[in-house]
Amino acid sequence: YNESTIAIDGPSGSGKSTIIKLLLRMYDWGEGDIKIDNISLRNMSAKSLRESVGYVEQHVDLFDATIKENILLGVKDEKAISNNDIEAVAHKARIDQFYHRLGERKFETQIGERGVKLSGGERQRVGIARALIKNPDILIFDEATSALDTENEKYIKEAIDEASIGRTSIVVAHRLSTVQDADIIFVMDKGQLVGSGTHETLQTSCKEYQALVAAQG
């Protein structure tokens, strides 16, 4: 795996989420192939794929439990995860920025049904910590900032940058502020790949990307 950040951009309905569903084997494909480390996803077990990929969606599903229990959701051997491990992912996910709201109970804080006691940005950070706790080789952020205000988007962008160190990250977003620093950006339009390159390159070579920039200017 290479340490790189790949962004997928494009208007609503352009096919961004379809690509992610294919990567996660939510459904199969007809032609071509999808590989991780030269191994076709068709030849990978579901267990191997889940261990390799961490996924943070637009609306993180949280449960009426503690922050710790929500972070450890899906971890098979919870006893192997120390408090130091949780502290480390909390820092990377920027949960430590709202410790002051949690009080002495910290990770044992009950967050209510669907995480009602947390803000949208705080819920996203718990979702990032959940993805990080299993130390995946690939992280996928699927519109993880789209429902957030500018301030919270900044915090989540910081968390994405920190979480991406040492692994491959795939960032799906329509906000340029989220994708413009990626190593390569793939631009989708009407189900087709219409451009690829850096933010600077695409501004001069891809009319669809130019339109996205103009719309958010």
Side-chain angles (χ1 to χ4, degrees):
Y1 300 94
N2 295 319
E3 180 181 341
S4 59
T5 299
I6 299 157
I8 304 174
D9 200 358
S12 298
S14 61
K16 303 187 299 296
S17 292
T18 298
I19 291 175
I20 299 307
K21 289 175 181 177
L22 288 168
L23 287 172
L24 296 171
R25 288 303 305 272
M26 291 183 180
Y27 49 73
D28 220 338
W29 60 91
E31 300 178 2
D33 203 357
I34 302 173
K35 297 181 179 180
I36 296 177
D37 261 6
N38 290 321
I39 300 173
S40 174
L41 293 192
R42 286 191 171 115
N43 296 327
M44 294 181 68
S45 67
K47 177 178 181 292
S48 178
L49 182 60
R50 284 195 300 268
E51 290 175 349
S52 297
V53 178
Y55 177 58
V56 183
E57 63 267 66
Q58 181 176 353
H59 300 290
V60 174
D61 285 328
L62 298 180
F63 303 94
D64 188 3
T66 66
I67 288 180
K68 180 179 179 179
E69 289 169 327
N70 273 280
I71 290 174
L72 294 178
L73 183 71
V75 173
K76 287 191 174 181
D77 188 6
E78 293 185 9
K79 293 180 180 178
I81 306 296
S82 69
N83 284 335
N84 286 338
D85 294 328
I86 297 176
E87 289 278 5
V89 299
H91 172 68
K92 289 181 179 179
R94 298 300 190 264
I95 290 175
D96 56 3
Q97 292 180 341
F98 63 91
Y99 276 169
H100 63 282
R101 292 215 319 113
L102 304 179
E104 293 182 3
R105 291 183 60 79
K106 210 169 177 179
F107 295 117
E108 299 302 327
T109 301
Q110 295 282 339
I111 61 174
E113 187 175 353
R114 296 182 180 272
V116 68
K117 295 181 181 179
L118 302 180
S119 70
E122 289 166 352
R123 289 194 292 271
Q124 289 301 96
R125 284 178 254 185
V126 173
I128 293 173
R130 178 191 292 170
L132 283 174
I133 197 67
K134 61 181 183 178
N135 194 29
D137 297 301
I138 299 170
L139 273 174
I140 297 175
F141 300 93
D142 190 0
E143 296 282 13
T145 64
S146 64
L148 304 178
D149 57 36
T150 302
E151 182 178 1
N152 271 301
E153 182 198 8
K154 172 180 174 291
Y155 292 138
I156 299 303
K157 178 66 167 57
E158 288 178 1
I160 290 173
D161 291 344
E162 176 85 10
S164 299
I165 296 172
R167 53 173 56 90
T168 296
S169 292
I170 300 172
V171 180
V172 178
H174 65 271
R175 287 184 178 177
L176 296 174
S177 53
T178 305
V179 305
Q180 64 185 12
D181 295 328
D183 297 299
I184 185 168
I185 303 169
F186 292 104
V187 184
M188 300 293 296
D189 188 56
K190 299 175 183 176
Q192 301 290 320
L193 177 66
V194 295
S196 63
T198 63
H199 172 69
E200 290 74 18
T201 300
L202 289 168
Q203 286 192 97
T204 58
S205 65
C206 179
K207 61 180 175 48
E208 290 84 0
Y209 192 76
Q210 293 168 0
L212 291 170
V213 173
Q216 298 183 43

